[in-house]
Amino acid sequence: MTNQTRLASADELESIFQRELVSDRWAATETAYALAVRHRDLGDWPKSREWVEQCLRLLEGFPSETEEQVATGRTSVGGVQLPTYLHAGVVQERFGNLG
């Protein structure tokens, strides 16, 4: 578990993502979003875009008809604030259209 007073590094977040991907795909989706934010904040636009795309791919596997289905389970990952609801529209609003 990362210390909540310190921001996790991108490498730490990637390690968390890899563990979550096999055990909890929704948590992995949240972490992919956090990685996109972290790389954007570091100014690494290509890496941020990769994680946005990964987040969107993972989101495709989840229903999104109700607020309960898109509600995030955590408020932050590795010190990165998560949105209250996580779906493709939110990701595109925060990162722009990748198309």
Side-chain angles (χ1 to χ4, degrees), residues 17-91:
F17 172 81
Q18 292 302 326
R19 284 194 308 272
E20 291 172 342
L21 193 57
V22 296
S23 63
D24 184 342
R25 290 181 69 80
W26 183 254
T29 304
E30 293 176 346
T31 301
Y33 175 88
L35 276 156
V37 171
R38 177 59 40 81
H39 284 292
R40 180 190 65 196
D41 291 351
L42 293 171
D44 187 343
W45 303 109
K47 201 72 159 156
S48 177
R49 181 183 173 108
E50 287 177 28
W51 284 105
V52 167
E53 291 170 351
Q54 175 73 339
C55 181
L56 289 171
R57 275 193 301 274
L58 286 166
L59 283 170
E60 288 175 3
F62 292 100
S64 61
E65 288 80 38
T66 68
E67 286 183 356
E68 291 80 19
Q69 292 171 329
V70 296
T72 52
R74 302 174 280 186
T75 57
S76 69
V77 175
V80 175
Q81 287 297 118
L82 294 176
T84 303
Y85 302 107
L86 185 57
H87 53 81
V90 168
V91 175

